[in-house]
Amino acid sequence: MSERAVLHVKGRILVGPDEVRDELWVVDGRISYDRPAGARDVTTAEGWVLPGLVDAHCHVGLDRHGAVPDDVAEKQALTDRDAGALLLRDAGSPSDTRWTDARDDLPKIVRAGRHIARTRRYIRGYAWEVEPDDLVAYVAQEARRGDGWVKLVGDWIDRDLGDLSACWPRGAVEAAIAEAHRLGARVTAHCFAEDSLRDLVEAGIDCVEHATGLTDDTIPLFAERGVAIVPTLVNIATFPDLADGGESKFPRWSAHLRRLHERRYDTVRSAYDAGIPVFVGTDAGGTLPHGLAAAEVAELVTAGIPPVDALAAGTWAARAWLGRPGLDEGAPADLVVYASDPRADVRVLADPRQVVLNGRVVA
C-alpha cells in the first residue's frame, strides 16, 4: 500500500458510554481501529474523544424574520461545527439548504422540510400555512422534500382565545401522520401547551419538540408509545421575556408561559424517569444563536438527568435515533476531542480542543 496521510487519535475514545478504546486511525476520512499499512505521514490528536455532538432541533437557513441568504446559513452551520455539533436535525426551514451536502467542511443535516402550520397560527414567514383539509397534501410534499422527517406546528397562540391552543382536529393529524408514515417519514410537532399532546400521540406521532405541556396524564402515554421529546431548554429559558412582552395584550397566554417555564425542569425529569427518550436540541436559528448544544446538555443535567445520560442524548443515543453512525469502524470520522472526561463534567463540552469532520481537523 502506498504511503498516505492519516490522523491518529489517541487517549480515551468514548465509543459508547461504557465502551472506551485507546486509539483510532482516520484514513481517507473514515475511522479504523487498526493501524493502516503505509501510515507514515501521521498527524496526532490526543484527549477524550466523542462522536460529533448532535443538535436535534435547530434551523439552518432561518432567522427571526424567515429565510436567510446562503452566506448567513453557512455562518450558522460553521458556528455549530466549531462548537462540536456535527450532526444537525433541521426542524423546519423555508430555505433550501441542500447545497450544504456538497460541502465536506459543514455539519451533516437531517432535514424536516418546512414547518406546516395552521393559517395565521405561527411566526410569519416560517411555515406553509394551511387549513386541515390540505394538511395531508402538504405533509406528503414535505415528506418527499425532507430527510425522513416532517414538522407540524401542533399548538400556538389563538388570538381570539388569548392563549395557547391546539391547531389541528384529531382526524386531520391522524390522516397526516399516516400519510407521512406511508411515505417512510417520521413526524414531529412543535408543542408548548397541554391540550394538543394526547391527540398527536394517539395519532401516532414520533416526536414532540419542547413538550413543556407534559403532565402526569400524558407522560405515561408518551412512555407507552415510545414518543421522544426534544425539550430545547435553552429556548424555554426565554419564556419569561416573551411573557413580559405579551402581558398587556394576552395576559392568559403570558401567565401560561410562566407556569410552563417554572416547572420546565420537573417536566423533563419526570419524562426521563418515565422512560421517555429525551434528546438534545437548541431551537437555534429563530431568535437564538447557533452553537448551543453544549449548553443544552448542561441544562438537561440541571433538570436532573444523570450526566452520562444527558451526554448520550446529544451523542451516542441521538445518532442512533437519527440513524447516523458514531465512532464505528468505517464510519465518517466526525469527532470532537476534549481535554478531560465529559462524563465526569459535561461542561467540558463547551470547550472542544479539536473538531474533526470527515477526517479533517476543522477547528
Side-chain angles (χ1 to χ4, degrees), residues 89-148:
R89 186 180 61 147
D90 192 324
S93 175
S95 296
D96 180 358
T97 60
R98 289 286 174 192
W99 58 270
T100 66
D101 292 348
R103 293 271 300 270
D104 63 7
D105 62 331
L106 295 179
K108 296 171 175 69
I109 300 179
V110 177
R111 298 170 183 84
R114 188 172 183 175
H115 305 77
I116 305 171
R118 190 75 177 264
T119 308
R120 298 187 65 192
R121 293 287 301 278
Y122 200 48
I123 303 167
R124 184 178 300 174
Y126 277 32
W128 298 119
E129 297 190 14
V130 304
E131 287 301 291
D133 288 348
D134 294 320
L135 184 59
V136 169
Y138 274 83
V139 163
Q141 170 185 287
E142 297 310 296
R144 295 185 177 101
R145 292 181 63 229
D147 297 313

Side-chain angles (χ1 to χ4, degrees), residues 330-346:
D334 297 346
L335 56 92
V336 191
V337 183
Y338 300 96
S340 58
D341 188 351
R343 298 171 303 176
D345 185 351
V346 299

Side-chain angles (χ1 to χ4, degrees), residues 53 78-86 290-294 336 338 349-352 355 363:
L53 304 183
L78 288 171
T79 299
D80 281 320
R81 183 201 74 180
D82 292 350
L86 305 182
H290 284 256
L292 298 177
V336 191
Y338 300 96
L349 298 180
D351 188 23
V355 176

Side-chain angles (χ1 to χ4, degrees), residues 188-235:
T188 193
H190 161 107
C191 295
F192 284 159
E194 299 84 354
D195 65 349
S196 63
L197 295 179
R198 181 170 291 277
D199 280 353
L200 288 168
V201 174
E202 291 182 347
I205 203 161
D206 303 283
C207 180
V208 169
E209 312 299 313
H210 317 301
T212 44
L214 280 170
T215 65
D216 291 343
D217 291 332
T218 50
I219 284 173
L221 180 63
F222 273 66
E224 175 189 340
R225 303 293 180 97
V227 178
I229 66 169
V230 183
T232 68
L233 287 168
V234 292
N235 178 48

Side-chain angles (χ1 to χ4, degrees), residues 2-285:
S2 62
E3 180 179 323
R4 50 186 169 167
V6 301
L7 175 65
H8 183 205
V9 184
K10 62 182 183 178
R12 307 299 286 163
I13 315 299
L14 300 176
V15 180
D18 300 311
E19 181 182 355
V20 184
R21 299 199 183 198
D22 294 327
E23 62 183 352
L24 62 78
W25 301 83
V26 179
V27 184
D28 298 329
R30 294 189 174 270
I31 292 170
S32 174
Y33 286 98
D34 297 317
R35 181 186 176 97
R40 297 182 184 278
D41 182 10
V42 178
T43 301
T44 301
E46 187 169 1
W48 293 81
V49 180
L50 285 173
L53 304 183
V54 179
D55 187 339
H57 182 136
C58 66
H59 306 277
V60 176
L62 181 72
D63 68 9
R64 67 177 65 238
H65 304 295
V68 300
D70 288 354
D71 65 321
V72 177
E74 178 188 41
K75 291 177 183 176
Q76 293 174 336
L78 288 171
T79 299
D80 281 320
R81 183 201 74 180
D82 292 350
L86 305 182
L87 178 61
L88 313 176
R89 186 180 61 147
D90 192 324
S93 175
S95 296
D96 180 358
T97 60
R98 289 286 174 192
W99 58 270
T100 66
D101 292 348
R103 293 271 300 270
D104 63 7
D105 62 331
L106 295 179
K108 296 171 175 69
I109 300 179
V110 177
R111 298 170 183 84
R114 188 172 183 175
H115 305 77
I116 305 171
R118 190 75 177 264
T119 308
R120 298 187 65 192
R121 293 287 301 278
Y122 200 48
I123 303 167
R124 184 178 300 174
Y126 277 32
W128 298 119
E129 297 190 14
V130 304
E131 287 301 291
D133 288 348
D134 294 320
L135 184 59
V136 169
Y138 274 83
V139 163
Q141 170 185 287
E142 297 310 296
R144 295 185 177 101
R145 292 181 63 229
D147 297 313
W149 284 91
V150 175
K151 169 74 174 294
L152 306 179
V153 176
D155 65 37
W156 196 250
I157 188 169
D158 181 326
R159 289 168 177 79
D160 294 331
L161 182 66
D163 199 359
L164 297 166
S165 71
C167 292
W168 308 103
R170 170 72 172 261
V173 293
E174 286 178 343
I177 292 170
E179 178 66 1
H181 288 170
R182 185 184 73 80
L183 293 170
R186 289 185 278 182
V187 182
T188 193
H190 161 107
C191 295
F192 284 159
E194 299 84 354
D195 65 349
S196 63
L197 295 179
R198 181 170 291 277
D199 280 353
L200 288 168
V201 174
E202 291 182 347
I205 203 161
D206 303 283
C207 180
V208 169
E209 312 299 313
H210 317 301
T212 44
L214 280 170
T215 65
D216 291 343
D217 291 332
T218 50
I219 284 173
L221 180 63
F222 273 66
E224 175 189 340
R225 303 293 180 97
V227 178
I229 66 169
V230 183
T232 68
L233 287 168
V234 292
N235 178 48
I236 304 311
T238 68
F239 274 18
D241 287 341
L242 294 175
D244 290 346
E247 179 73 45
S248 61
K249 193 171 183 180
F250 299 114
R252 286 182 60 191
W253 173 81
S254 294
H256 198 170
L257 285 189
R258 291 190 183 99
R259 292 195 302 274
L260 295 171
H261 175 264
E262 286 168 3
R263 64 180 179 87
R264 68 197 185 282
Y265 292 143
D266 290 339
T267 300
V268 171
R269 178 57 197 248
S270 295
Y272 167 83
D273 286 345
I276 295 173
V278 178
F279 298 106
V280 167
T282 66
D283 209 2

